[in-house]
Amino acid sequence: MPKLPLAHLRARWLIYACMIAVIVGLPVGCSLLQHKERELVFRIEPGIASWYHGLPDDVQEFELKAPSFGLAQNIHSWWWPAEKRDAPALLYLHGSRWNLTGQFFRIEQLHALGFSVLAIDYRGFGQSKGQLPSEASVYEDARIAWERLKTLQPDPRKRLIYGHSLGGAVAVDLAAELGQDAEKGEPVQARGLIIESTFTNLADVASALATTYTSLPVRWLVSQKFDSIDKIAEVNMPVLIVHGTDDQFVAPRFSKELFDAAREPKSLLMVPGGNHNNSMNLGRQAYGQAIQALLNADAPKAHAASEQAVPKGAAG
């Protein structure tokens, strides 16, 4: 019997969990479904990634906390300052499965482009202590990390949000919240949003995989929404969306749909032959040019107003 792709096996387990919940029709069935769903969404791999070979000496490690965390929770973070003083700083939000040790190759590429990078593991990943993550908890972790980035790079014109895969949905949620603040007349906190290899919402991904196995309406049983398609129009900053044309896990059409729904200024970079993980490396030159174009893009009016409020010389 041929082996099914790993993504399809995960989809099948999610479908089976949905069936159990429907058949049982009890709160315990819903609880089982939601717990199993979160396990399948985040797919946490414990330990250190086999391709990780340690951090450079200039990377600082620290823990972020919130008053509600207590002793049993923390957010483990890496801060890698760029060589150039007061370089643009980027909040790195990773996707499912791998903790920061599995993300270092991409963080290293962003740093090589001249960015200072603050990268976090959500609670439950890597050295971050906590229970099994949820959509709500990773959103909260991103907001806590953003508050720290604001102290590391005080100039809002030099702060960006980056999200890969599932982290793209976390990044969109954060950027949309900052966009709502801007609509209220508050200063804009970021220069731009970069999302790579991400999707419209989790239900779309689950439905695309589920059609192979069942006609069950999986879309309506997904509790972890990660609904970027309904939030991206609220992002009030330049947006760069990147996707490899040969992504084996997340269909490139999802990024095209996000691009269509986003406000201007926006840019879509499709990397020919890129898969779910290598678009930044494979399309390095085009990627770097696209980021520079984002930094040079005309800011929305609310953003421009907040830039005028920055004292002269604050950018360094």
Side-chain angles (χ1 to χ4, degrees):
M1 179 179 178
K3 291 184 178 180
L4 289 170
L6 188 58
H8 285 201
L9 286 172
R10 295 186 186 110
R12 176 174 284 183
W13 277 108
L14 178 56
I15 293 161
Y16 287 164
C18 290
M19 288 178 174
I20 290 169
V22 171
I23 293 170
V24 174
L26 296 171
V28 65
C30 294
S31 177
L32 171 63
L33 168 61
Q34 291 180 10
H35 189 273
K36 189 63 181 178
E37 179 190 354
R38 286 163 57 195
E39 286 182 344
L40 293 168
V41 166
F42 293 102
R43 297 179 288 130
I44 298 174
E45 290 280 351
I48 297 172
S50 61
W51 55 88
Y52 174 70
H53 300 295
L55 288 175
D57 292 338
D58 54 343
V59 176
Q60 303 167 30
E61 295 185 85
F62 51 81
E63 314 300 328
L64 302 176
K65 284 184 172 288
S68 61
F69 281 11
L71 298 176
Q73 299 181 80
N74 72 281
I75 301 170
H76 186 70
S77 310
W78 293 346
W79 170 242
W80 195 359
E83 290 185 10
K84 182 180 177 182
R85 188 168 176 244
D86 202 31
L90 179 151
L91 174 60
Y92 183 98
L93 299 167
H94 67 67
S96 61
R97 192 176 183 188
W98 299 109
N99 59 44
L100 286 178
T101 63
Q103 305 288 328
F104 182 72
F105 70 97
R106 196 177 293 106
I107 295 169
E108 188 175 33
Q109 291 169 48
L110 287 165
H111 186 263
L113 289 171
F115 292 102
S116 297
V117 181
L118 174 63
I120 66 166
D121 262 333
Y122 314 114
R123 281 170 287 169
F125 278 84
Q127 295 183 52
S128 294
K129 295 183 292 186
Q131 300 295 319
L132 179 66
S134 68
E135 181 180 12
S137 73
V138 295
Y139 288 166
E140 182 183 13
D141 293 349
R143 282 157 177 72
I144 292 168
W146 182 252
E147 290 303 311
R148 174 55 67 91
L149 186 74
K150 287 162 61 177
T151 67
L152 295 167
Q153 173 48 273
D155 188 346
R157 298 171 299 178
K158 293 188 174 184
R159 294 196 293 253
L160 297 100
I161 307 167
Y162 170 91
H164 179 263
S165 191
L166 187 72
V170 183
V172 168
D173 181 80
L174 174 61
E177 182 174 284
L178 300 182
Q180 291 174 352
D181 291 342
E183 293 290 350
K184 298 173 185 175
E186 298 178 20
V188 175
Q189 297 186 38
R191 186 67 183 89
L193 168 69
I194 305 167
I195 50 176
E196 179 182 345
S197 303
T198 193
F199 48 80
T200 48
N201 56 52
L202 195 62
D204 285 346
V205 177
S207 295
L209 293 171
T211 53
T212 306
Y213 307 110
T214 181
S215 58
L216 188 72
V218 175
R219 169 179 301 279
W220 310 114
L221 297 170
V222 173
S223 67
Q224 307 294 291
K225 305 298 184 182
F226 290 103
D227 200 349
S228 296
I229 194 67
D230 282 349
K231 298 174 184 175
I232 199 164
E234 299 173 1
V235 174
N236 194 36
M237 63 187 73
V239 177
L240 170 61
I241 302 174
V242 183
H243 216 119
T245 59
D246 292 350
D247 191 324
Q248 69 276 40
F249 296 118
V250 179
R253 65 180 174 84
F254 291 136
S255 278
K256 293 178 181 177
E257 292 175 25
L258 286 171
F259 174 77
D260 290 341
R263 295 184 187 183
E264 296 285 357
K266 59 184 177 180
S267 180
L268 176 64
L269 174 63
M270 303 301 292
V271 179
N275 62 30
H276 192 64
N277 291 305
N278 71 356
S279 289
M280 189 180 297
N281 183 55
L282 190 62
R284 184 177 306 175
Q285 183 175 356
Y287 208 122
Q289 292 171 349
I291 293 178
Q292 192 58 50
L294 178 146
L295 292 171
N296 293 336
D298 291 335
K301 290 182 179 179
H303 200 155
S306 68
E307 287 183 359
Q308 292 174 6
V310 177
K312 291 182 178 180

